Amino acid sequence: MDAMGLREGSEKRLHQGPKRRCQEATQLLVQSLVISRLDYCNSLLAGLPLRAVRPLHLVQSDAAHLIFNLSKFTHVTPLLRSLH
């Protein structure tokens, strides 16, 4: 904390463009509402047939596309790795 009561780095975030702040907010929401739930249930999903896991994989892929504001045709594996 500095003399003005701001956390380190918060001043830097204030000067970032609105698009960057929007992406950070979207990432925070999606990670807290979607990805964390999938990670929490990950051990329960192991061994399930592909038809049961496929819809969850689609939700995870859509979440990555939403966070990074990319088209649905963009490959998501590198994006998913960067979220963990």
Side-chain angles (χ1 to χ4, degrees):
M1 293 258 220
D2 64 7
M4 294 175 51
L6 296 173
R7 289 185 175 166
E8 288 182 33
S10 62
E11 190 174 319
K12 182 179 178 183
R13 283 191 298 272
L14 290 174
H15 294 292
Q16 291 174 344
K19 184 176 180 180
R20 175 70 180 156
R21 286 192 303 267
C22 184
Q23 181 183 0
E24 289 175 353
T26 303
Q27 181 175 349
L28 180 66
L29 285 171
V30 171
Q31 280 184 313
S32 64
L33 298 174
V34 177
I35 296 173
S36 66
R37 301 304 188 267
L38 292 174
D39 286 344
Y40 176 75
C41 298
N42 198 22
S43 62
L44 299 174
L45 302 173
L48 288 178
L50 186 59
R51 70 177 184 277
V53 179
R54 179 80 176 142
L56 299 174
H57 178 71
L58 293 174
V59 167
Q60 191 176 30
S61 296
D62 287 345
H65 286 116
L66 177 65
I67 289 170
F68 294 103
N69 196 25
L70 298 171
S71 76
K72 66 179 182 175
F73 302 108
T74 304
H75 190 65
V76 295
T77 302
L79 301 175
L80 293 172
R81 286 187 184 134
S82 71
L83 292 175
H84 284 280

